[in-house]
Amino acid sequence: MTTYSQEAQELPRSYRWIAGVGLLLGPALSVVGTFYWQDGGVQGVDAAVFNVLSSLAWLVGLVGVFRAIEPWAPRYAAIALPLACYGVLGGVAFGLQGMHEELFGVSHGDAVRLLEPYPVAASVLFWFAGPLFPTSLFVLGLVLARIRAVPVAIGGLICLGAVVFPISRIPREVLVAHAADLLLLLPFLYVGIQMIAGRLRPRAAARSVPTSPTLAEDRAATGGTALHGDRR
């Protein structure tokens, strides 16, 4: 298995801050947006704005997480990143659908029925993309706990929040949505802070990180320059 030098594992400070803030804002904006849901399960325009901004923050934060853990789970990071991005786009589509429901005065059920003549488009934008977001979070929780980048309890909360998330969004149950948002907010507060502090790594790696011969030679050839560049 390829190992990475300490320098190769560390992300630039500015990158960590931006990604960490994204991990904090993603679930926090979702929490706020849920309070704007209207009667009948309609999200409405206001909730849609928070949902889209939340999706943007999630995207920035999750890209940072995959980059941070790539040295210890390279195959997973390579596969999970595009799938998670696709899932986040499903969240954007979910928000815009809620906006259109209020603009055109249709219920959520009617909006779903109006999609029936367009099965391919509906599948690409909603039925495939939508489930990928909570699925990505569920697997991420397992992987973070497996490589010991977070405590098992934190990984378990991420998995639990990922399970409850679609249960709240499909039938548009507000109370369940609040519970799902909180279950995701709590663990990602921890993950976001760890990201900002530069501690999102396996605990064993923080104590001792072997350097592969190839990377050692590259470092010597470049005068010890870090692969991730300037950390200012």
Side-chain angles (χ1 to χ4, degrees), residues 128-204:
F128 292 160
L132 274 178
F133 177 69
T135 301
S136 297
L137 293 184
F138 184 87
V139 179
L140 178 62
L142 294 178
V143 172
L144 289 177
R146 175 67 180 83
I147 66 175
R148 302 182 68 188
V150 301
V152 173
I154 295 297
L157 277 177
I158 294 175
C159 293
L160 182 59
V163 170
V164 179
F165 187 86
I167 296 176
S168 68
R169 263 57 182 184
I170 295 174
R172 303 289 180 92
E173 293 291 338
V174 176
L175 292 180
V176 182
H178 288 320
D181 292 341
L182 184 61
L183 284 172
L184 289 178
L185 175 63
L186 293 177
F188 277 101
L189 286 176
Y190 176 88
V191 177
I193 292 172
Q194 292 294 99
M195 170 67 75
I196 292 172
R199 295 195 296 265
L200 191 61
R201 64 182 64 181
R203 281 174 286 176

Side-chain angles (χ1 to χ4, degrees), residues 103-125:
L103 291 176
F104 297 107
V106 297
S107 67
H108 174 59
D110 290 336
V112 172
R113 282 190 290 273
L114 288 171
L115 287 171
E116 291 178 358
Y118 311 97
V120 175
S123 296
V124 171
L125 295 178

